[in-house]
Amino acid sequence: MAPEPVVPASTTPVRDYLDRPTPGATQDHLVVPRSLAQSMPLRWQQVFVGLLADLHDAYGHLDWPDYKVTPCRWEVLIDLDEQQAMAAGYVAELGPDGQLEYREAQTDEPVDDAAHHRVLAPVDDPLPPASAGRVEPRPAAPLGGPEPDRPRKRGR
């Protein structure tokens, strides 16, 4: 019997992982909440700091900007209040027929079908700040066992 062919490991594992729906990942950036990273076990933090140091060493010659991170969620445009819509880059005005009309703030372009138009709207951060101290992670699943809070399936 011939051995199974070896499937090569991905040559782009970071891209592969972050291209999936992943908390904190956008098309261009990855945000790691500091309070959660600082709450991970010591060995994880040591490895993570080493990886960050490697990244900063490799790309320290680039002119890194400062970043302002704003927590957001995807929301339907018509569900936002005026301030939320403005923060997301939209304005709402009464049209000639007395109905609200939505426009993109920068281009003044009208939004077609605002009832189904989803926008990234700022929200209060649901994650604790780094100053809050340790955040307890959920318990890890036992090796080879069911995940916590999931019943064990009865097998054949």
Side-chain angles (χ1 to χ4, degrees):
M1 184 175 210
E4 301 238 354
V6 176
V7 177
S10 172
T11 60
T12 57
V14 172
R15 181 176 63 199
D16 295 347
Y17 186 81
L18 297 178
D19 278 351
R20 304 180 308 179
T22 305
T26 68
Q27 183 175 354
D28 294 319
H29 294 88
L30 172 63
V31 175
V32 177
R34 187 171 173 167
S35 63
L36 304 184
Q38 290 176 177
S39 295
M40 290 297 287
L42 177 60
R43 181 66 187 136
W44 185 96
Q45 291 184 50
Q46 291 167 333
V47 170
F48 187 66
V49 166
L51 295 171
L52 285 175
D54 289 349
L55 178 80
H56 293 142
D57 183 54
Y59 297 104
H61 64 284
L62 298 177
D63 187 18
W64 286 55
D66 289 330
Y67 290 93
K68 179 181 178 182
V69 177
T70 304
C72 299
R73 291 207 195 283
W74 287 101
E75 301 286 349
V76 175
L77 183 55
I78 64 170
D79 291 341
L80 303 179
D81 64 29
E82 186 177 354
Q83 287 79 22
Q84 290 171 313
M86 286 178 59
Y90 295 86
V91 293
E93 299 170 338
L94 285 177
D97 59 358
Q99 298 293 318
L100 274 180
E101 293 180 355
Y102 292 87
R103 297 183 168 283
E104 291 190 34
Q106 287 188 335
T107 64
D108 203 37
E109 291 291 319
V111 175
D112 296 327
D113 196 13
H116 294 97
H117 189 79
R118 295 176 58 82
V119 299
L120 204 51
V123 296
D124 290 335
D125 195 342
L127 299 177
S131 62
R134 180 165 170 74
V135 178
E136 283 298 320
R138 72 167 187 232
L143 293 177
E147 292 184 29
D149 300 327
R150 286 203 174 161
R152 185 179 297 251
K153 291 184 179 179
R154 300 200 187 260
R156 304 173 216 180

